[in-house]
Amino acid sequence: MSEDRQPLLSPSSENDIENDYIQYKIEKGDINKLSNKKPNLFKRINDYLKKSISKKTATILIFIVLYILFGVVNSLLLKKVMNSFSNYGFFLNQLTNYGYVPIFGSVVAYKLLFTNDIPKDTRSFPQFKFLIMGALDAVTGYFVVIGGIKTSGPLQQLLNQSVIPFTMLTSFIFLKERYSLIQLGGALIIIGGVVVSLIPSFTGNNSTGNMLFYNFFYLISMIPYAFSNVYKVIGFSTVEDMDVWYLQYFDSLYQSLVGTVLFPINNWLPPPSDMKFNQVIPQLETGAKCLFGINTLVEQFNSTSNTLLPTSCNYDDNTTCDNCHGAWIIVLVYMTVNVVYNVFILLVLKHAGATVFSIANTLRLPLTNIAFSFKFVMGSDASPFSGLSVVGLFIILFGLGGYRVGSMIKQKKASPDSATDVVTTPKVFPGQFGEIFAPVVLRKNIPPKTQAHLRNSFFGKLGISVPESKLRNQNSIYGDQA
């Protein structure tokens, strides 16, 4: 093609114009010669992320990452707190119950006095429902704290996953919920993983301080927790927007009151959580001393043979010596992190949804177990991996994946036009030990629509308006249901 017939903006001319412009800018000193080179890999990735990820998506990703991070730290600190009060389980249970009452109470008082965030219908919510929820959480917390003292951190995380089959069972009984074969298969695999994880405790072949009795004691905590999950769905299904701080205050208040009267159980427990009735007040006193860093149970030696006395701590595996140094700092940090962690639970649920939250919760499990093995994180409380614990972890993760997939398939197949509306509650009620998410489905029967409603709908589609007085006379779209 001759030069006079070549298009003005042909590819070659465009490149020439661009090169001439760059050379002109270089001569003027506006840019240097290096500007003609491609940007480095980091800058290209950064530019790509800016173009492909919106501000909303970036915010959600930050919430998810922070939720996982604070969830891992929350689990680590909880185990550190348990180890600091290994001889004072009952005191620790009271501390973790009553400790949150003033925190939530101060927020609720501020809201009631200076804001309108808590409406009248929320304030008139029946207190007996809070009482039932608090009682279930009190039993859960009691078994978690007492059983967790002699249950290693990684095993705690694995046993926590049993809340899913327990919740499925209680939903089957009380909510008439039915599950797909994929969901049932996932739940059975989770149970198998839990059993595999407990094998070292059965055989006594572990060096992590696990005791079979207290491992089962911790596992039992998932039963009242499952009942609590189901009751929260039933009890709060009529509330559109329950204020979280208001709920948490009354939950922690009733949880504390009920938890106080559970001390008779300690009378029949083996060491180190055994406590006779006449030892309740002395343990509260020594537990308070431990909170402020004062050790009561220390090694005692025979003055002549310089050997440990049979009544001394560390004489056998049942009673360990106090390790109360800096206990109040660990407790304070744990409670602070726990409150922040619960905030991120709500943020992820609100902005990302229950499905993303459950996936993030699944990812948190292996990360937490890995963190428990790091000595620079846990110090002397580090729990090294064992072959069976790793196998149990992979089995449980496989089961969790199957359960999540089955739940998503079932939710996708659910028809919104069916006579039974499937309502999956996205509400999670955070607790002092964090939340182990197990979605509960509430089914509500929708009565058939009346002929009057169908006729008015048809008229509306034709553009014929029905007088408001006529609609009111028909009571409701579902007919008279009084």
Side-chain angles (χ1 to χ4, degrees):
M1 181 184 293
S2 62
E3 191 171 318
D4 58 335
R5 296 175 62 85
Q6 189 174 7
L8 290 176
L9 293 179
S10 64
S12 59
S13 64
E14 288 179 4
N15 292 336
D16 292 341
I17 292 173
E18 182 179 356
N19 292 334
D20 291 342
Y21 176 74
I22 292 174
Q23 185 64 33
Y24 168 74
K25 297 293 285 184
I26 292 175
E27 292 174 357
K28 285 191 64 178
D30 292 345
I31 58 175
N32 54 42
K33 295 182 180 180
L34 294 177
S35 63
N36 202 17
K37 294 184 178 181
K38 291 184 178 180
N40 58 40
L41 180 62
F42 177 79
K43 189 176 185 306
R44 278 186 286 172
I45 293 175
N46 188 43
D47 292 340
Y48 174 78
L49 292 177
K50 285 182 178 179
K51 292 178 182 179
S52 60
I53 299 179
S54 64
K55 185 177 180 180
K56 181 180 179 181
T57 303
T59 303
I60 292 174
L61 289 175
I62 292 173
F63 287 157
I64 293 172
V65 171
L66 290 176
Y67 160 71
I68 295 175
L69 175 62
F70 276 93
V72 172
V73 175
N74 184 75
S75 299
L76 300 178
L77 287 173
L78 176 58
K79 183 55 181 173
K80 293 286 284 186
V81 170
M82 290 177 176
N83 290 345
S84 297
F85 293 88
S86 59
N87 295 314
Y88 310 106
F90 179 73
F91 172 82
L92 178 60
N93 186 47
Q94 304 311 306
L95 179 64
T96 52
N97 285 338
Y98 284 100
Y100 287 94
V101 175
I103 297 175
F104 297 131
S106 59
V107 176
V108 170
Y110 172 81
K111 286 192 169 190
L112 290 175
L113 293 174
F114 301 105
T115 71
N116 296 319
D117 293 344
I118 304 178
K120 184 178 179 180
D121 58 341
T122 299
R123 298 196 301 269
S124 61
F125 190 78
Q127 287 294 310
F128 79 90
K129 292 188 176 182
F130 287 124
L131 174 61
I132 295 174
M133 184 178 69
L136 290 170
D137 289 342
V139 177
T140 300
Y142 178 83
F143 280 89
V144 165
V145 171
I146 302 298
I149 288 175
K150 283 296 182 180
T151 302
S152 66
L155 184 56
Q156 288 182 17
Q157 303 308 304
L158 298 179
L159 296 180
N160 285 346
Q161 309 313 312
S162 64
V163 72
I164 289 181
F166 282 132
T167 303
M168 291 174 65
L169 180 60
T170 51
S171 298
F172 175 82
I173 296 173
F174 295 101
L175 299 179
K176 309 302 181 184
E177 174 62 14
R178 299 298 180 262
Y179 296 93
S180 67
L181 291 177
I182 299 177
Q183 288 175 299
L184 292 174
L188 290 175
I189 293 173
I190 292 172
I191 294 173
V194 170
V195 172
V196 171
S197 304
L198 285 171
I199 289 177
S201 297
F202 279 111
T203 61
N205 183 24
N206 70 80
S207 58
T208 57
N210 285 319
M211 286 181 61
L212 182 60
F213 176 85
Y214 284 108
N215 298 159
F216 274 103
F217 206 79
Y218 187 93
L219 180 62
I220 290 173
S221 69
M222 297 299 109
I223 298 176
Y225 188 78
F227 276 99
S228 179
N229 276 340
V230 173
Y231 181 76
K232 286 169 185 173
V233 173
I234 297 174
F236 294 93
S237 60
T238 59
V239 182
E240 291 294 331
D241 189 20
M242 170 63 70
D243 184 84
V244 174
W245 293 98
Y246 187 83
L247 182 148
Q248 285 284 64
Y249 169 70
F250 283 104
D251 180 31
S252 60
L253 177 63
Y254 290 120
Q255 182 175 341
S256 302
L257 297 175
V258 175
T260 303
V261 300
L262 295 177
F263 68 89
I265 301 176
N266 291 77
N267 185 62
W268 294 282
L269 297 181
S273 295
D274 56 325
M275 183 182 66
K276 305 303 178 185
F277 296 149
N278 59 353
Q279 295 176 332
V280 173
I281 301 302
Q283 183 174 114
L284 292 176
E285 293 176 352
T286 51
K289 290 180 180 179
C290 184
L291 178 63
F292 294 101
I294 302 174
N295 294 325
T296 302
L297 291 177
V298 295
E299 290 181 338
Q300 297 177 355
F301 294 89
N302 188 311
S303 58
T304 56
S305 62
N306 199 31
T307 58
L308 282 175
L309 295 174
T311 57
S312 172
C313 57
N314 282 349
Y315 183 79
D316 52 30
D317 294 334
N318 290 331
T319 306
T320 58
C321 294
D322 285 349
N323 182 26
C324 302
H325 178 70
W328 70 272
I329 298 176
I330 300 175
V331 170
L332 183 61
V333 174
Y334 163 69
M335 294 180 69
T336 304
V337 169
N338 184 257
V339 172
V340 177
Y341 166 57
N342 286 325
V343 170
F344 280 112
I345 287 177
L346 299 174
L347 288 174
V348 172
L349 280 169
K350 179 179 179 180
H351 296 283
T355 301
V356 174
F357 176 79
S358 63
I359 295 172
N361 206 37
T362 303
L363 293 175
R364 189 167 62 89
L365 174 60
L367 294 177
T368 304
N369 280 23
I370 292 172
F372 270 115
S373 66
F374 292 149
K375 281 200 171 183
F376 73 89
V377 175
M378 294 299 293
S380 59
D381 299 324
S383 300
F385 284 120
S386 66
L388 287 173
S389 65
V390 174
V391 173
L393 173 62
F394 278 105
I395 293 175
I396 289 175
L397 286 175
F398 184 71
L400 285 173
Y403 176 79
R404 307 293 188 205
V405 170
S407 299
M408 288 187 288
I409 293 176
K410 184 179 178 182
Q411 187 175 5
K412 189 176 181 180
K413 288 182 178 180
S415 173
D417 298 327
S418 59
T420 301
D421 190 17
V422 181
V423 182
T424 303
T425 174
K427 294 181 181 179
V428 167
F429 303 93
Q432 55 179 281
F433 303 109
E435 188 65 26
I436 310 155
F437 184 68
V440 179
V441 177
L442 179 64
R443 293 180 177 271
K444 61 180 182 179
N445 293 325
I446 299 179
K449 298 175 182 179
T450 64
Q451 292 182 353
H453 170 69
L454 295 174
R455 183 171 60 253
N456 292 335
S457 298
F458 177 70
F459 287 157
K461 291 180 180 179
L462 296 177
I464 303 173
S465 60
V466 181
E468 185 67 24
S469 59
K470 185 174 181 62
L471 289 176
R472 277 198 299 269
N473 290 336
Q474 293 169 353
N475 293 322
S476 71
I477 62 173
Y478 302 124
D480 188 2
Q481 300 178 30

